[in-house]
Amino acid sequence: NRALFENKLLLVQLFKKIQNEASLRNDRMIFVLAPLIEDMAFQEKFGHLPYNLSFLNEHKINLNFFTGTSIHQVDYRKLFVDQKWGGHYSAFGNNIFAKYIEGLLGEAEIKL
């Protein structure tokens, strides 16, 4: 699909620019992808995400990406209040996701 290819190419170019800028500044970038309710349902059913981030390695993009799907230890339905536009996180879901990000930042501080 040409549109998908062009979108992926645009994303690759964006990440490469971010990577170059971070390198110039000697910064460490961390991207946390908040999963949609559909992502969590797909993962529960098939055991993996509906998208593949391997293109990052293919294009030598060395940024830190975390999908947030490791928060699936709880019933993912409790993380959301609805299913509109991919689902809005509930107060419980926001708290769980915040703890997940806090853990990532704690690990990042240790590694620096």
Side-chain angles (χ1 to χ4, degrees):
N1 185 325
R2 182 144 177 88
L4 182 60
F5 174 78
E6 289 174 0
N7 287 343
K8 191 179 282 187
L9 183 60
L10 197 60
L11 192 58
V12 165
Q13 290 171 345
L14 175 66
F15 288 145
K16 284 193 177 258
K17 284 184 180 187
I18 291 170
Q19 179 174 281
N20 289 337
E21 186 65 27
S23 179
L24 290 172
R25 295 179 182 199
N26 200 27
D27 285 340
R28 185 164 180 224
M29 299 298 294
I30 298 174
F31 290 89
V32 180
L33 306 174
L36 303 174
I37 194 167
E38 292 90 353
D39 298 339
M40 301 297 278
F42 188 97
Q43 180 173 301
E44 182 177 79
K45 185 174 182 178
F46 298 106
H48 60 86
L49 290 171
Y51 44 85
N52 185 337
L53 298 177
S54 65
F55 74 92
L56 298 171
N57 290 332
E58 294 167 15
H59 294 278
K60 297 181 175 48
I61 296 171
N62 298 313
L63 298 170
N64 300 293
F65 283 86
F66 301 94
T67 61
T69 55
S70 65
I71 61 176
H72 68 276
Q73 292 89 2
V74 298
D75 179 1
Y76 74 88
R77 291 165 205 84
K78 294 180 182 176
L79 300 174
F80 299 91
V81 293
D82 61 35
Q83 295 183 3
K84 295 177 184 174
W85 303 287
H88 292 93
Y89 283 91
S90 64
F92 174 75
N94 281 323
N95 186 41
I96 295 291
F97 204 70
K99 287 180 182 178
Y100 169 75
I101 293 171
E102 184 179 53
L104 291 176
L105 294 175
E107 288 176 26
E109 288 177 20
I110 293 170
K111 293 178 185 177
L112 292 178

